[in-house]
Amino acid sequence: MPVLVSRPSKTPVSPAAKRVIRLSIGFQFFFTLLLWTPIFYAYQQQFGLSAAEILGIQSIYYVAFCLLAVPTGMISDRLGYRNSMLAGAAILSAANLLVVAAPAYWGFLAHFLLIAVARSLTIVATSAYLYTYLQRTGDSAAYKQSEGSARFYSLIGRIAAWPVVGLLMAWNTPSPYWLTAISSAIAVLIALRLPALPPAPSTVDSEDPAKLSPWATMGRALTVLRDAPVLQLLIVQGVAIFTLVRICQVNLFQPILLDKQLPVISHGAVLAAMTAFEALGSMRPGFLRRFLSDTKAVFLITIVMALTLAGTVFAGIPGTIALLCVFAMAGGFSFPIQRQLINDAIPETPYRATLLSIESIIDRAVCAVVALILGGFLNRGALGEFLLYSAAGSLALMAALAVLVPVARRRLNAGTGSS
């Protein structure tokens, strides 16, 4: 395994921060390397599960993921981000071993519920830990590239590993789960090497969330959110990006290709190409900063994503594939930049993970609503109409935010200056 090093920022990064960045990238690489993803449906069928049972487990998993988002964010604030990452990776390793030990309906259901717990504990905590560490060491300028590099290596790992998973399963049926358990165990070892966070500045309220009840923790977090109008608007901006990416890559990917009469056998190759372009965008999130601020870059990216989806309505097969690859690259650019903007908008607070979890559940709730609406359009054969409405809605939202975000920032700066 080569040393995973993020591309250095023009601003010098301290040696301690470089080490934490490398460990964080390594943690995310091994934690997200779910080797069984391409074969889990066939694997469960081999052990007697019906299609209805398999999809039913997936539905329960998604509901659990949404319900766990905020509680696990509060747990991360109370236990500490490192401990949350450690617990999440350990639970993920156990979840994969459980499938090998109990390959039956209840074993698979428990497997996915444990994955929901593990991911909920880890995803937000990883971002909160890295951002807080770099902020307190004065290296916050390196955060965006670090997140981009982590996403890049994670995607490359999947692109490299997934094509051989079928062969592994043919050689030894549970081997993808064994290897995923080993991968997440490596993430546990990496989490153990992460250093403690530097102390918060003395000017910041150092209230300990561990001494508060869950309701009090949520109340404090919501108070921070209420008093941060810029953060509120950026969360809305992030909803547009998350929804476009999620709906396209999960719900609309195959319907769009089927509408163009592209054979199903080619869908995997198109998805691999999209993933490669997404990885390329993730690796260079700072490229757009040469020309635009982060906020303007996100506006532009969202507009490009909306227009490319709308463009597939009128394009043939080659044009549609090209537009989907542009969409994927824009999505790769967007997530590290949006994550930087959200974290920058959160003041120094012991409730960062809770706030990030609130953002996450808002994203997923909107996706759930849009997916329901999408189902109605698909049932009446109006895919193109949905894509055009989605593009128009995204453009209208970006136009409104282009006015509201600068106004909110000016008011915030004016209030800070007068205090």
Side-chain angles (χ1 to χ4, degrees), residues 4-6 8 11-24 129-130 133-134 137-139 142 146 193-195 198:
L4 301 171
V5 184
S6 62
T11 304
V13 180
S14 67
K18 287 182 180 178
R19 177 174 179 268
V20 165
I21 289 170
R22 290 189 181 97
L23 289 172
S24 178
Y129 171 84
L130 180 61
Y133 190 96
L134 296 179
T137 58
D139 298 293
S146 303
R193 296 184 60 193
L194 289 168

Side-chain angles (χ1 to χ4, degrees), residues 249-308:
Q249 293 185 341
V250 176
N251 302 99
L252 280 179
F253 168 71
Q254 285 196 299
I256 288 174
L257 296 181
L258 290 172
D259 185 64
K260 303 299 177 181
Q261 299 183 344
L262 184 71
V264 174
I265 194 172
S266 303
H267 291 192
V270 175
L271 183 59
M274 289 176 64
T275 305
F277 274 91
E278 183 183 353
L280 185 60
S282 298
M283 187 58 182
R284 295 290 181 266
F287 172 77
L288 295 178
R289 178 165 272 189
R290 301 177 188 177
F291 316 101
L292 299 166
S293 67
D294 284 348
T295 305
K296 291 180 179 178
V298 172
F299 284 133
L300 176 63
I301 288 168
T302 308
I303 291 169
V304 168
M305 292 168 72
L307 292 178
T308 52

Side-chain angles (χ1 to χ4, degrees), residues 102 144 158 162 230 239 249 263 275 315 321 338 347 409:
K144 178 173 58 183
R158 295 172 213 173
W162 283 349
V230 174
V239 166
Q249 293 185 341
T275 305
I321 294 172
Q338 179 67 15
R409 280 189 168 145

Side-chain angles (χ1 to χ4, degrees), residues 296-378:
K296 291 180 179 178
V298 172
F299 284 133
L300 176 63
I301 288 168
T302 308
I303 291 169
V304 168
M305 292 168 72
L307 292 178
T308 52
L309 273 188
T312 62
V313 176
F314 310 102
I317 291 177
T320 296
I321 294 172
L323 287 169
L324 289 175
C325 288
V326 172
F327 178 94
M329 178 177 281
F333 278 127
S334 68
F335 278 110
I337 299 174
Q338 179 67 15
R339 186 57 51 190
Q340 173 92 51
L341 287 170
I342 291 291
N343 272 295
D344 285 346
I346 299 174
E348 178 70 45
T349 174
Y351 312 108
R352 183 175 298 275
T354 303
L355 287 163
L356 291 174
S357 295
I358 291 172
E359 180 218 6
S360 176
I361 201 169
I362 291 171
D363 288 343
R364 296 175 194 283
V366 172
C367 271
V369 173
V370 173
L372 288 175
I373 296 172
L374 169 61
F377 278 87
L378 291 179

